[in-house]
Amino acid sequence: MKDRSLERYHHGELKEELIRLGRVAIERDGIASLSLRALAAEAGVSKTAPYRHFPDRDAFLVALANEGFRLLAQELERVLAEGGAVPAMGRAYMAFASAHPALYRLMHSELLANAAPAQLTEARRSMQLLGESLARAGGWKLGADGEAGRRFANEAAAAWGYIHGLVMLRIDRLFPAWLPEPDWEGLAERLTAHSAPRASTRRKKAARPTH
Amino acid sequence: MKDRSLERYHHGELKEELIRLGRVAIERDGIASLSLRALAAEAGVSKTAPYRHFPDRDAFLVALANEGFRLLAQELERVLAEGGAVPAMGRAYMAFASAHPALYRLMHSELLANAAPAQLTEARRSMQLLGESLARAGGWKLGADGEAGRRFANEAAAAWGYIHGLVMLRIDRLFPAWLPEPDWEGLAERLTAHSAPRASTRRKKAARPTH
DNA sequence: GCTATTATGTTGGCATTGCTTACATTAAAG
DNA sequence: CTTTAATGTAAGCAATGCCAACATAATAGC
């Protein structure tokens, strides 16, 4: 039995502290090598204590991801409040991912694809923000049905895919080293070109003029 | 001691078979739960046999990813041989990722960011193919120096980011379910719009020169 | 205030896994 | 034919996820 004479039996904020420690740990060691036991030790608590707050390791990772979405939404909301348009959103998105690469990766990992939607309330919020911003800039209606809704879904997927891919390329350092380093921030701002329904693009769908 | 009277002591093609089995395993159970021991058992070989061919688990995953790049390059080359232009490349890229989602994810995972370049010879090949195709379509020179090289790097990053993000959005099922399913193939074909230097984009770039 | 209930944390333990060391078998080189 | 290198095996350690039984503290009902 350890000497816990100076420590409280109940931590009191274990759940929150585990999330905090987890965020640091994944950025330092990578997501794959995150260990609940090690985290418990860091928090000065027994090896199975985390299981009182999370059913299993995957559930903890989902909670971590959700925290990430909360932080991202917070950032995006701040930009929106400052009157930022779509390019500013792109910049903020890129900045968030660069500042928390492992967290961003986790937020878009395989795990989340099958996670229960109820656990990812914050995820929906941040995506709604992005979607609304894109819709406003492009003059689309968010809840539109039929053809209009389908067209908006396409434009949203194009814009989101663009910024998401750009960000992943950067944080995973996948861009070939034998080429000059791209201007990531500038490219992120170009999000506008993808969200707004450009005449050229729409015509191309029908007639495909280039090449 | 097991009865191996009918089995050869030496498997003979263990390395290749592990790669084969590994590809199936990650698509079935996910990358995280891939176990070298389990794979060894599947191959009918002792638990530590794989370590004769791969220093550790991560090295095996890198080898798997490299095999993925080889397959992708093979596909892209086939499309090129058939005279396919950039939209066809986009389609092929999307098709490959959809057919092997876990493999594609692995090819762009955190692990690879720090992998020794020598282990990823095939990766460079497939990217070179994509880069050449984009350069030809956009009228760029691949090895250009200075401003031209930097501009090409930006256009390449934009195009690659676009298709990569689109693909990831799809295979990770991240696109919100409350929107209509996007036309993924059609969006992949739009790769042209990102690789070709569009007048509007270039003017915008000039108006906001660098940073 | 006292007690019952619930939330939270601990201890011990099992199975799985990655990986190391020492040894066995076979193929290939000389 | 002998030697050597390549390939596979056996045994075992440490770390981890997770379960079951128990301990402690906070809280609610009376």
Side-chain angles (χ1 to χ4, degrees):
Chain A
M1 183 144 159
K2 274 193 209 165
D3 177 16
R4 293 192 181 273
S5 48
L6 295 179
E7 307 171 22
R8 290 171 309 176
Y9 188 96
H10 282 124
H11 183 289
E13 291 184 337
L14 186 53
K15 190 170 187 175
E16 292 74 15
E17 175 138 4
L18 287 173
I19 298 267
R20 267 194 300 268
L21 293 171
R23 279 183 53 200
V24 176
I26 63 174
E27 301 294 349
R28 187 189 50 213
D29 307 322
I31 298 165
S33 53
L34 178 131
S35 144
L36 282 195
R37 282 167 96 120
L39 238 53
E42 270 190 74
V45 103
S46 86
K47 60 188 178 182
T48 52
Y51 289 89
R52 292 289 138 188
H53 299 276
F54 307 97
D56 54 24
R57 198 187 105 116
D58 281 1
F60 175 69
L61 290 178
V62 169
L64 250 189
N66 205 39
E67 171 72 2
F69 280 114
R70 195 183 63 79
L71 293 172
L72 174 58
Q74 189 175 297
E75 276 303 300
L76 295 182
E77 250 164 3
R78 199 177 51 75
V79 171
L80 278 176
E82 290 172 0
V86 176
M89 299 282 280
R91 265 190 102 88
Y93 200 98
M94 173 67 76
F96 177 86
S98 299
H100 320 283
L103 185 58
Y104 185 86
R105 237 189 313 262
L106 176 63
M107 288 159 60
H108 300 88
S109 71
E110 185 174 16
L111 229 184
L112 279 286
N114 305 325
Q119 308 274 33
L120 286 171
T121 54
E122 301 293 336
R124 243 178 303 203
R125 189 157 139 260
S126 68
M127 288 170 196
Q128 189 95 15
L129 281 173
L130 209 60
E132 280 172 12
S133 172
L134 292 172
R136 195 177 322 141
W140 301 94
K141 261 194 186 169
L142 240 187
D145 275 355
E147 185 57 24
R150 226 167 305 140
R151 280 220 309 262
F152 171 68
N154 277 336
E155 299 309 318
W160 189 17
Y162 173 73
I163 188 70
H164 175 54
L166 215 54
V167 153
M168 293 293 279
L169 244 50
R170 183 186 196 181
I171 68 181
D172 285 341
R173 294 198 227 109
L174 293 176
F175 199 75
W178 46 269
L179 281 175
E181 183 80 359
D183 171 21
W184 298 111
E185 278 78 17
L187 288 170
E189 287 190 352
R190 277 208 223 163
L191 185 55
T192 313
H194 298 260
S195 67
R198 286 162 297 134
S200 66
T201 302
R202 285 206 290 188
R203 228 184 300 120
K204 190 162 68 60
K205 270 301 260 182
R208 189 165 326 168
T210 30
H211 90 275
Chain B
M1 181 142 164
K2 274 193 208 166
D3 177 15
R4 291 191 181 275
S5 49
L6 295 179
E7 306 170 23
R8 290 169 310 175
Y9 187 97
H10 283 126
H11 184 288
E13 291 185 336
L14 185 53
K15 190 170 187 175
E16 292 74 15
E17 176 138 2
L18 287 174
I19 297 269
R20 267 195 299 269
L21 293 171
R23 278 183 52 201
V24 176
I26 62 173
E27 301 294 348
R28 187 189 50 213
D29 307 323
I31 298 165
S33 52
L34 179 130
S35 144
L36 283 194
R37 284 167 96 120
L39 238 51
E42 270 190 74
V45 100
S46 86
K47 60 188 178 183
T48 52
Y51 289 88
R52 292 289 135 188
H53 298 277
F54 308 97
D56 55 23
R57 198 187 105 116
D58 280 2
F60 176 69
L61 289 178
V62 169
L64 250 188
N66 205 39
E67 171 72 2
F69 280 114
R70 196 183 63 79
L71 293 172
L72 175 57
Q74 189 175 297
E75 276 303 300
L76 295 182
E77 250 164 3
R78 198 178 52 75
V79 172
L80 278 176
E82 289 171 2
V86 176
M89 299 281 281
R91 266 191 101 88
Y93 200 98
M94 173 67 75
F96 177 85
S98 298
H100 320 284
L103 186 57
Y104 185 86
R105 236 188 314 261
L106 177 62
M107 288 159 60
H108 300 87
S109 70
E110 184 173 17
L111 229 185
L112 279 287
N114 304 325
Q119 307 275 34
L120 285 172
T121 55
E122 301 292 334
R124 244 177 302 203
R125 188 157 141 262
S126 68
M127 288 172 195
Q128 189 95 15
L129 281 173
L130 209 60
E132 281 173 11
S133 174
L134 292 173
R136 196 177 322 141
W140 302 93
K141 261 194 188 169
L142 240 187
D145 275 355
E147 185 56 25
R150 226 169 305 141
R151 280 220 308 263
F152 172 68
N154 277 335
E155 299 309 317
W160 190 15
Y162 173 73
I163 188 71
H164 175 55
L166 215 54
V167 153
M168 293 293 279
L169 244 51
R170 184 186 195 181
I171 68 181
D172 284 341
R173 295 197 227 109
L174 293 178
F175 200 74
W178 46 270
L179 281 174
E181 183 79 0
D183 170 21
W184 299 110
E185 278 79 15
L187 287 171
E189 286 189 353
R190 276 208 223 165
L191 185 56
T192 312
H194 299 260
S195 67
R198 287 162 296 134
S200 66
T201 302
R202 283 209 289 187
R203 227 182 298 120
K204 194 150 70 63
K205 263 309 242 190
R208 191 181 324 198
T210 61
H211 336 106

